[in-house]
Amino acid sequence: MFPLQRGRRLRTNESVRSLVRETTLSPSDFMFPMFIAEGENVKVEIPSMPGIFRRSIDLTVEEVKELFALGIRAVNIYVKVSESLKDNTGKEAWNPNGLMQQAIRAIKTACPEMIVMPDVALDPYSIYGHDGIITNGDVENDATNDALVKMAISHAEAGADFVAPSDMMDGRVLRLRQGLDAAGFHNVGIMSYSAKYASAFYGPFRDALDSAPREADVVVPKDKKTYQMDYANRIEAIKEALWDVEEGADMVMVKPGIAYLDIVREVKDAVNVPVTVYQVSGEYAMIKAAAEKGWLDNDKIMMEQLMCIKRAGASLISTYFAKEAAILLNK
């Protein structure tokens, strides 16, 4: 039968396509992950992440101002901690004058409307590169939660808008909510890394912070699979997200991004809070490497992947492409 319906009528030209487009992107959809280093006037490119830098606080502040001017409204910050400050307790993580706390204060002073979401996990502070305290050869869940509460309160005291626990300890969202409320920080939110998979896509990130598990003079887990999720699992991700919402999470996150869009959609359908998706360092690095070889068009692939993440259900996309994509969108 000759078609009465022709899909191509709605694809005739860009004006028609934009008129019926189901998903759109704007700079306010993005959060930019930032790496912060000690010192002044420090800007060191991360070899496995072209275009991404570890910056000292002074240069971080200048970058944040540029991001805000482009329409980006959130940053997710991580710190590169000196080896001399690392131990198995993570106590530097709640030092009121620590690098993270100084960075939060500096950003909020310079750009008060920028939403600051500092990372809450012990791996940058651990001599073993793990997200928690090692006891008897394993990451001790409840003792780690105690440390994370101290860390989150110190971030709130410095001016953080949200805390972002990426550790995957059981029950940590409830403990964080209770701790923040008891300290008077009822309006500081929690963006929980709820479905964080034990992924090989994190390699460049761990180069940036030197936070990979490492050899030690005691027995430690060789990887993070006892607390990060098995990438073969789907139902578990929904369960973890629902638990975190019940415990008080204001947002939940799926990580990594483009390889996990089925999980993004299922989590989005299951929860009643915003879903953040982290397009992680390995996903970024693959595009950059292929673009440098001339095999892919950086801008086209970047925008396609970001659109696909948004289409799958992301309310917010944490991406190293945030600045590049915002510049293109503003044009």
Side-chain angles (χ1 to χ4, degrees):
M1 182 177 178
F2 196 78
L4 298 178
Q5 292 291 339
R6 291 180 180 265
R8 290 183 61 184
R9 294 188 192 118
L10 299 181
R11 306 174 199 142
T12 305
N13 55 50
E14 179 55 25
S15 292
V16 173
R17 291 191 295 272
S18 65
L19 191 68
V20 297
R21 188 162 290 141
E22 299 171 29
T23 308
T24 59
L25 282 173
S26 75
S28 62
D29 291 322
F30 305 139
M31 175 164 62
F32 191 41
M34 304 188 77
F35 302 116
I36 300 169
E38 296 277 5
E40 292 184 9
N41 199 34
V42 174
K43 183 179 178 182
V44 179
E45 188 171 34
I46 299 160
S48 54
M49 300 176 70
I52 301 299
F53 300 85
R54 285 193 296 265
R55 292 178 171 86
S56 52
I57 291 175
D58 54 332
L59 299 187
T60 297
V61 166
E62 295 307 310
E63 181 74 354
V64 166
K65 291 177 181 177
E66 289 186 32
L67 296 171
F68 194 84
L70 289 168
I72 295 167
R73 293 294 178 261
V75 292
N76 187 203
I77 58 177
Y78 304 84
V79 291
K80 175 72 166 63
V81 178
S82 168
E83 287 295 318
S84 65
L85 297 174
K86 296 182 180 183
D87 62 14
N88 188 36
T89 70
K91 63 180 182 297
E92 178 63 19
W94 55 89
N95 177 359
N97 294 312
L99 183 59
M100 177 69 86
Q101 290 76 4
Q102 291 181 50
I104 296 167
R105 285 193 291 267
I107 293 170
K108 293 302 290 185
T109 298
C111 192
E113 294 180 62
M114 180 64 86
I115 303 302
V116 178
M117 301 191 188
D119 179 57
V120 175
L122 296 185
D123 50 331
Y125 304 89
S126 168
I127 54 173
Y128 304 125
H130 275 284
D131 289 47
I133 297 167
I134 300 295
T135 303
N136 297 325
D138 196 11
V139 175
E140 189 174 352
N141 193 93
D142 295 356
T144 297
N145 282 343
D146 292 340
L148 298 177
V149 171
K150 296 176 187 176
M151 186 178 184
I153 291 172
S154 77
H155 292 174
E157 290 172 341
D161 300 283
F162 286 76
V163 294
S166 64
D167 56 285
M168 289 297 287
M169 297 298 111
D170 292 332
R172 90 277 205 209
V173 172
L174 178 60
R175 292 297 307 277
L176 290 173
R177 186 70 272 158
Q178 291 171 333
L180 289 166
D181 287 353
F185 295 109
H186 306 90
N187 292 326
V188 172
I190 299 174
M191 182 193 69
S192 175
Y193 289 57
S194 299
K196 180 180 180 180
Y197 285 86
S199 171
F201 282 108
Y202 304 151
F205 176 95
R206 290 174 180 167
D207 290 343
L209 294 184
D210 190 24
S211 61
R214 58 182 69 180
E215 296 290 330
D217 55 1
V218 299
V219 176
V220 298
K222 66 179 181 179
D223 53 38
K224 301 190 177 187
K225 292 182 179 180
T226 66
Y227 45 100
Q228 294 178 359
M229 284 183 50
D230 183 342
Y231 57 72
N233 293 355
R234 175 183 62 85
I235 295 171
E236 185 183 10
I238 301 168
K239 178 179 68 176
E240 290 279 355
L242 289 171
W243 280 348
D244 284 358
V245 173
E246 289 173 3
E247 292 180 13
D250 301 283
M251 303 183 196
V252 296
M253 177 185 277
V254 176
K255 178 182 181 183
I258 203 71
Y260 293 76
L261 295 187
D262 60 322
I263 307 301
V264 175
R265 172 43 58 187
E266 296 225 35
V267 169
K268 178 71 171 179
D269 289 343
V271 302
N272 58 0
V273 300
V275 176
T276 303
V277 177
Y278 201 147
Q279 185 188 34
V280 299
S281 58
E283 295 172 306
Y284 173 88
M286 288 193 302
I287 294 174
K288 288 296 183 184
E292 286 180 2
K293 288 282 191 180
W295 296 340
L296 292 174
D297 183 303
N298 179 87
D299 291 355
K300 289 180 179 178
I301 294 294
M302 169 182 73
M303 298 307 293
E304 181 177 345
Q305 287 205 1
L306 293 171
M307 186 70 80
C308 291
I309 292 169
K310 178 81 178 290
R311 187 194 65 215
S315 303
L316 179 65
I317 304 170
S318 184
T319 174
Y320 301 97
F321 286 116
K323 186 176 182 181
E324 282 185 70
I327 290 169
L328 275 182
L329 289 169
N330 285 328
K331 288 180 179 178

